[in-house]
Amino acid sequence: MTELEKKQQRDRRKFAAISACSLVVFFGVWYLATAIMHLMPDYCLPSPVQVLEAFVYKLNHKAPDGGTLFQHILASLKVALSGYLLGAVIGIPLGICMAWFKRIDLFVTPLFDLVRPVPTIAWIPLMILWFGIGLGAKAAIIFVSAFIPCVINSYAGIKQTRPVHLWVAQTFGASRTKMLFTVAIPTAMPLIFTGLRISLQAAWTTLCAAEMLAANKGLGYMIQLNRSLARADLIIVGMLTIGFIGTLFAVVLTKLENRMVKGGKKS
């Protein structure tokens, strides 16, 4: 192992220790404020111990919201991943085509700029009319929130390709299609992955709104129902579960980016 690799390893351990300390401080302050000082009543802000007990309880019990934690997680993953993957599969190629082909850009951009500012929540009534109240409507709402960042970042990534690189490829006889796949898209990959991460965050953010559509399972449904039951402990369990799953997906995307993007770390 070289000195540089040893230094990078030490830095990773140091950053991991700092991150762990931040979590310890957060939960410590939370426990101090709730379990010891009782600054807020339990029904408003339970202690970390109460939240942990609620988490363990929900692993095997369906009450009071009709599903165990794993059932809610699976229902949410089905909705979130359906809309997210569809948004990425359509949004990334569309953004690339808009940036690379002038006619597509001129045709699609006005329509895209018209739709982009509309809040995702505003699409809920239309989605109900178009797709009913099943999985299709929920996935369609997630799709809208994931689609837009994928288009924007793919478009920006292709547009940032340096003309000199295209000139060099053209000098060596590369066709326009070959320049797109060998020069422009590899150059755009960091921004494309940025769009995927933003879309993932948007998908989980929109999840609660999507699962308000007559759902009977899902983390968003669990949070909404327990709000009406004043079960703050289960609300926090749902929130922390969403955060953990979102973080896990973000780590997977980062690992994938490091392996696929030229110059990325092979870790």
Side-chain angles (χ1 to χ4, degrees), residues 124 127-139 210-216:
I124 291 180
M127 296 306 177
I128 294 176
L129 291 174
W130 292 348
F131 301 106
I133 57 175
L135 173 63
K138 302 180 190 74
E211 289 181 339
M212 289 173 64
L213 302 178
N216 56 9

Side-chain angles (χ1 to χ4, degrees), residues 224-236:
Q224 293 292 337
L225 183 63
N226 284 290
R227 177 191 61 81
S228 63
L229 298 174
R231 289 294 305 271
D233 52 347
L234 292 177
I235 292 173
I236 295 175

